[in-house]
Amino acid sequence: MRAPGDEQSLRLRVTALVWEAEGVLSVHLSRADGAHLPPWTPGAHLDLHLPNGLTRQYSLSGSPADRSIWRLSVLREPVSRGGSREVHEVLRPGDHVDVTGPRNNFALPEDTALRYRFIAGGIGITPLLPMIESVASSGADWSLLYGGRSRSSMAFLADLSRHGERVLVRPQDEYGLLDLDAYLGPPASGTSVFCCGPEPLLAAVEQVCGTWPPGTLHAERFTAKVHDVDATDDEAFEVVLRRTGRSVTVPAGRSILDALEDHGIDVPNSCREGICGTCETKVVAGVPDHRDSLLSPEERAANDTMMICVGRARGPRLALDL
């Protein structure tokens, strides 16, 4: 189970808003008293609780060494569900916002790879920036393939330019779709591939890395992956909460989280799409039906944890550490 670290809720002050590219706005957050912010590691994100009541997850894109500020970079979505619009149109310097985190579901592996290959699509560059700085400072072999609609829409190009030929900038209006086969080459052991961006890019990278050694690819999604799930086969099952001994029936067509909330049982959650990891819960007994977009194939096979905001059970009974 992913450890949340020193995850906590904080009330922070918006100290600056900075345009990073066309449609991309960075939000700088600090403590009002100037105290240090909690430590974090590359790949971490925050839950940002917006004034309109929405909660959205945004990657930390600054430097973990700078404990005075957290930087989030937000793309103004053309069809916003309310989150990016609130950041761009309502949030202003001097405002106070609540955040929860940091939480890291996209961390650099503890074992050192021989080489790192980063792939970013659009705003997907944000979690990769601190990763690149960490890997670059270690002297490791690394490179970045960075795509976007156009150069004007691609954030942090000036910062990345100092890395020279290690960074391949490939706007779609100049180069077309990213040539993943040419960039990644043949399967190679000792390589870690990190990718973040829109779903079509992630799906393409997953296909290219399908023949690579297990554990090569590390991906983070901003939207839920489309799963081939036939919900018409869903049947009711029982969930046993180990800590209280209480049992709850989960009806067909409902997630475990839905059923728990129906019975007045509150469990921390945020995205309700199986992508942020807030509701990750340890499985004590039974076999979960994983419908999230976060766990790796190896983690799914282990059945040690599950995302209860979308998951169900493969069987009549499931016991959870709740």
Side-chain angles (χ1 to χ4, degrees):
M1 184 173 184
R2 293 175 171 81
D6 293 329
E7 181 181 323
Q8 57 186 288
S9 293
L10 297 170
R11 188 158 184 80
L12 302 179
R13 183 174 181 269
V14 179
T15 56
L17 296 172
V18 180
W19 286 109
E20 306 292 358
E22 181 182 299
V24 179
L25 188 65
S26 278
V27 180
H28 294 194
L29 302 172
S30 299
R31 288 184 186 266
D33 60 5
H36 279 178
L37 292 162
W40 59 280
T41 54
H45 70 266
L46 296 176
D47 290 347
L48 180 63
H49 306 283
L50 294 165
N52 63 1
L54 294 175
T55 299
R56 294 290 183 264
Q57 292 75 42
Y58 296 111
S59 298
L60 286 161
S61 60
S63 170
D66 186 353
R67 299 280 298 279
S68 68
I69 189 171
W70 280 344
R71 183 180 71 182
L72 311 174
S73 301
V74 182
L75 171 68
R76 174 62 191 266
E77 298 286 355
V79 184
S80 173
R81 294 180 298 166
S84 68
R85 182 173 62 246
E86 185 81 354
V87 170
H88 280 249
E89 297 182 4
V90 177
L91 215 57
R92 293 295 178 263
D95 289 349
H96 289 82
V97 293
D98 294 320
V99 303
T100 305
R103 183 183 308 114
N104 201 337
N105 304 313
F106 191 46
L108 287 165
E110 294 183 2
D111 56 319
T112 304
L114 296 177
R115 63 191 65 83
Y116 296 85
R117 298 294 177 256
F118 298 101
I119 304 171
I123 196 63
I125 189 63
T126 55
L128 301 184
L129 290 173
M131 289 186 176
I132 288 170
E133 294 307 314
S134 176
V135 169
S137 65
S138 73
D141 176 1
W142 69 274
S143 63
L144 166 68
L145 178 63
Y146 183 13
R149 298 188 311 277
S150 63
R151 288 181 187 271
S152 63
S153 70
M154 298 170 67
F156 305 108
L157 290 180
D159 291 345
L160 290 166
S161 65
R162 61 190 174 87
H163 294 296
E165 295 182 354
R166 288 184 182 273
V167 176
L168 305 176
V169 178
R170 297 293 184 265
Q172 188 173 351
D173 61 353
E174 298 177 29
Y175 293 88
L177 297 178
L178 296 179
D179 190 342
L180 299 174
D181 289 311
Y183 174 65
L184 292 173
S189 60
T191 300
S192 285
V193 178
F194 285 83
C195 180
C196 186
E199 184 57 34
L201 172 62
L202 290 167
V205 174
E206 286 180 337
Q207 182 175 2
V208 172
C209 291
T211 57
W212 287 57
T216 294
L217 177 60
H218 309 265
E220 180 162 79
R221 288 177 157 82
F222 292 141
T223 58
K225 184 177 181 180
V226 177
H227 296 284
D228 185 17
V229 176
D230 186 359
T232 59
D233 292 336
D234 285 353
E235 296 182 357
F237 61 92
E238 180 187 21
V239 168
V240 177
L241 311 184
R242 189 190 70 171
R243 299 181 195 175
T244 63
R246 187 172 177 181
S247 295
V248 172
T249 298
V250 182
R254 303 282 281 172
S255 71
I256 295 172
L257 178 61
D258 291 332
L260 295 181
E261 291 181 335
D262 289 344
H263 287 78
I265 302 170
D266 293 326
V267 179
N269 69 91
S270 183
C271 72
R272 304 185 79 95
E273 295 181 320
I275 59 174
C276 76
T278 305
C279 71
E280 186 171 13
T281 303
K282 185 176 181 180
V283 177
V284 178
V287 180
D289 180 2
H290 297 289
R291 300 184 182 185
D292 63 274
S293 303
L294 184 57
L295 294 176
S296 68
E298 294 79 14
E299 290 170 325
R300 285 172 176 247
N303 287 325
D304 292 330
T305 70
M306 69 180 301
M307 307 302 155
I308 63 172
C309 69
V310 290
R312 290 176 52 82
R314 295 184 181 276
R317 191 170 181 269
L318 190 68
L320 301 175
D321 185 24
L322 288 173

